[in-house]
Amino acid sequence: MDVAQNRKQVAPGAPAAFARFVLCGGGVGIASSLAVAGLASWVPWVLANALITVVSTLLATELHARFTFGAGGRATWRQHTQSAGSAAAAYAVTCMAMLVLHQLVAAPGAVLEQVVYLSASALAGVARFAVLRLVVFARSRSQVAGAGAGAGRAARPAPCVSTPAVPAGLCRAA
C-alpha cells in the first residue's frame, strides 16, 4: 500500500507539469474573468477584481499543490504566500506592458491591446511556472519523497520501489 501511495505522489516531469499548470491556471483564469464581470455589476470593478484575484490565487495554489506539481496534499501558508508573490509579479508585468503600450500608441485598438496583454500574460505565466516549480513547490517534492521512504520509522525499512535503477526482481518481499 505504501508503494501505491508513493507512486501517486511522484512529481510529474516538466512537460506534464507545464500542461497541468496551463490547464489549472487557464481554467481558473477563465472562471475568474467571468466572476469579475459578474461581480462588477454589483460593486466597483477595482474591488471585484481585487476580491476575485485573492480567491483565484488561493484556488490556483491549491490546485497546483495537489495536481500540477504533485506536492502530495494541501498547500502550506508559505506556499500560498510565495504563490501570491509570484502572482503579484505577473500582475505587475501585465500592467507594465499595458502602460508601455499606451505610452507608445495614442489610441491602441482592442485587438492590439489583447495581443499585448496576452503576450505579457504568457511571458509572466512561463516565469511564474518556473518560480512555482523550482522554488515554491520544490521543497514539497523532496519532503514527499522523504516522507514516503519511511521517515520517522527507523525500525522499519522503507518499501522497495521498482525503478529503472532497481528492477522489480531485486526487491524482496516484506
Side-chain angles (χ1 to χ4, degrees):
M1 177 140 179
D2 285 335
V3 173
Q5 287 175 344
N6 287 345
R7 287 187 182 154
K8 288 180 188 174
Q9 294 176 351
V10 171
F18 186 74
R20 292 175 181 187
F21 177 81
V22 170
L23 179 68
C24 291
V28 169
I30 290 169
S32 295
S33 67
L34 296 173
V36 167
L39 188 58
S41 64
W42 295 334
V43 299
W45 185 89
V46 172
L47 178 60
N49 188 36
L51 291 171
I52 297 302
T53 297
V54 169
V55 171
S56 65
T57 300
L58 289 169
L59 174 62
T61 301
E62 283 297 326
L63 288 172
H64 292 322
R66 295 173 187 219
F67 180 67
T68 303
F69 298 108
R74 293 186 54 121
T76 64
W77 283 110
R78 179 191 60 80
Q79 290 167 330
H80 276 292
T81 302
Q82 290 175 327
S83 180
S86 71
Y91 177 77
V93 167
T94 57
C95 286
M96 288 299 290
M98 295 306 288
L99 180 67
V100 168
L101 171 65
H102 285 275
Q103 291 297 315
L104 296 175
V105 181
V111 172
L112 180 57
E113 283 184 335
Q114 284 299 305
V115 166
V116 169
Y117 177 79
L118 292 174
S119 297
S121 290
L123 179 64
V126 169
R128 188 161 187 256
F129 170 77
V131 167
L132 292 177
R133 181 169 170 83
L134 300 174
V135 177
V136 176
F137 294 105
R139 291 186 200 134
S140 295
R141 287 196 310 269
S142 62
Q143 288 171 350
V144 167
R153 292 182 270 159
R156 198 166 131 197
C160 183
V161 177
S162 173
T163 66
V166 181
L170 295 180
C171 289
R172 50 174 210 210

